[in-house]
Amino acid sequence: MKLFFLGTSAGTITAERNVSALVLDLIKERNSLWLFDCGEATQHQMLKAKLSIARLEKIFITHLHGDHLFGLPGVLTTRSLMQNMSPLTLYGPKGIKQFVETVVNISHSWLTYPLDIVEIDQPTELINDEQFVVNCDALNHRVACFGYRIVEKERSPKLNIEKLNADGIPNGSHLAALKLGQLVQLTDGRMINGSEYWGEIKRGRKLAILGDTMPCDAAVKLAHDVNVLVHEATQKSDLQEKANNRGHSTTHQAAEIALKSGAKKLIITHISPRYSLANNLAIVNECRQIFANTEIASDFYQVEI
Ligand SMILES: [Zn+2]
Ligand SMILES: [Zn+2]
């Protein structure tokens, strides 16, 4: 599981940063990519990052401001030019269905794959499958804006090879059943219980990916105990009034949310165009005064979770 930042600028592009988009790379887990927000030129960024839009399974839009949305028509319609595209589900606030349908109709485009559009108007559980639970909650921005909490279910454990060898259990097709914790009879007559040969059970990973927001309780709730919290930090701490007047957070405020929520790591993004990459260290250090394990994302920054 990997996070891949494709756009990290707030509001508008700069020479150094594109607008918001972030891929959760689940190729290892389910051979698919989940995209969070889709600012202009996101498909270019995916191409450069060697992330195939064919592998997109789900797109989550936090809110309908252009810097989080205007790349969507390109991604959706380019996908239609490819052969045998898999179905795609798009989640976003009310209005996203009308946006997509209008763009597709007016531009005489069409989609060659099933697109399911799920409009969100309240906190809800969006996904609960054999691997993941995804919830959303309403943040505090100038327009309806949602944050997403992604919780991986407990991962099936691997077999403890050393213990298998020590007990003289041979290789063979029965290993698959043992891995599932089933009872297996060996050719020598022994009955063995797979769960006794499990290695360490890995707890599922948790992350919170939030849209634009001022500090709010929903952010703390979404980020409770997560491995990684992705939070905006549009302005440095000296511009708090400016940030909050526009529905945004500062470095200090993002760090305080991370601290309150018990997150293990904070990654800040959605950085105002007033700051160049040369300011990164000064910006992230403001967070680290409050929450030490903070990183600042720039375009193409990736992190394994
Ligand atoms: Zn924004
Ligand atoms: Zn916004």
Side-chain angles (χ1 to χ4, degrees):
M1 189 192 278
K2 217 191 304 181
L3 278 177
F4 209 127
F5 289 81
L6 298 174
T8 55
S9 181
T12 185
I13 54 165
T14 72
E16 296 175 327
R17 295 181 189 270
N18 201 48
V19 276
S20 289
L22 165 60
V23 162
L24 176 61
D25 181 334
L26 297 171
I27 293 292
K28 262 196 221 156
E29 289 77 11
R30 56 202 277 146
N31 197 29
S32 72
L33 304 174
W34 292 4
L35 175 64
F36 292 82
D37 282 336
C38 191
E40 184 185 342
T42 293
Q43 60 170 330
H44 301 64
Q45 299 293 84
M46 288 187 71
L47 195 65
K48 287 178 192 160
K50 297 191 166 54
L51 296 166
S52 169
I53 61 171
R55 292 266 71 83
L56 283 173
E57 180 199 3
K58 296 176 189 300
I59 301 177
F60 302 84
I61 300 294
T62 60
H63 65 300
L64 302 181
H65 278 155
D67 57 318
H68 299 256
L69 184 67
F70 287 167
L72 194 55
V75 167
L76 295 180
T77 53
T78 299
R79 239 179 149 259
S80 277
L81 303 175
M82 300 167 145
Q83 300 291 316
N84 304 319
M85 273 307 94
S86 53
L88 183 61
T89 308
L90 170 65
Y91 305 87
K94 224 171 170 37
I96 193 156
K97 194 171 168 63
Q98 188 189 357
F99 173 78
V100 171
E101 287 174 354
T102 304
V103 170
V104 168
N105 290 336
I106 286 189
S107 63
H108 297 274
S109 305
W110 61 89
L111 302 180
T112 57
Y113 54 89
L115 175 68
D116 186 19
I117 302 179
V118 179
E119 289 196 325
I120 308 167
D121 56 7
Q122 58 180 355
T124 188
E125 182 179 273
L126 297 171
I127 298 168
N128 190 341
D129 64 21
E130 51 299 333
Q131 282 181 305
F132 289 97
V133 178
V134 179
N135 286 286
C136 66
D137 204 348
L139 301 171
N140 186 0
H141 194 42
R142 286 175 302 149
V143 298
C145 182
F146 289 89
Y148 298 99
R149 174 180 173 87
I150 302 106
V151 176
E152 183 188 33
K153 293 183 177 173
E154 209 168 72
R155 287 179 280 170
S156 59
K158 291 191 171 145
L159 289 171
N160 182 340
I161 304 296
E162 281 170 17
K163 191 172 180 207
L164 287 169
N165 289 339
D167 288 354
I169 293 164
N171 281 330
S173 55
H174 54 272
L175 291 186
L178 290 178
K179 192 163 184 256
L180 294 173
Q182 295 170 356
L183 274 176
V184 167
Q185 183 160 30
L186 301 177
T187 48
D188 63 11
R190 278 187 289 166
M191 286 293 289
I192 57 169
N193 184 341
S195 61
E196 288 171 14
Y197 289 89
W198 280 348
E200 185 196 348
I201 296 177
K202 291 204 171 158
R203 289 184 57 213
R205 292 156 284 190
K206 300 192 264 295
L207 60 158
I209 299 175
L210 308 189
D212 293 3
T213 190
M214 286 172 58
C216 62
D217 291 343
V220 178
K221 247 168 54 191
L222 286 164
H224 174 66
D225 198 28
V226 292
N227 298 77
V228 176
L229 163 62
V230 177
H231 197 294
E232 70 133 285
T234 306
Q235 306 288 356
K236 287 174 75 176
S237 57
D238 59 329
L239 294 179
Q240 182 169 320
E241 203 182 320
K242 187 179 183 70
N244 293 171
N245 282 343
R246 297 185 180 183
H248 293 296
S249 298
T250 65
T251 48
H252 282 174
Q253 290 177 322
E256 276 156 14
I257 295 292
L259 195 63
K260 274 192 209 161
S261 65
K264 294 178 183 68
K265 184 187 186 81
L266 167 66
I267 303 175
I268 53 168
T269 183
H270 199 269
I271 311 297
S272 166
R274 78 177 61 246
Y275 308 114
S276 72
L277 291 183
N279 298 114
N280 269 4
L281 188 60
I283 295 170
V284 76
N285 276 343
E286 287 198 351
C287 293
R288 287 174 181 163
Q289 291 166 5
I290 294 165
F291 189 81
N293 193 13
T294 305
E295 300 294 336
I296 181 169
S298 41
D299 291 13
F300 304 111
Y301 168 72
Q302 46 181 309
V303 57
E304 194 79 42
I305 301 169

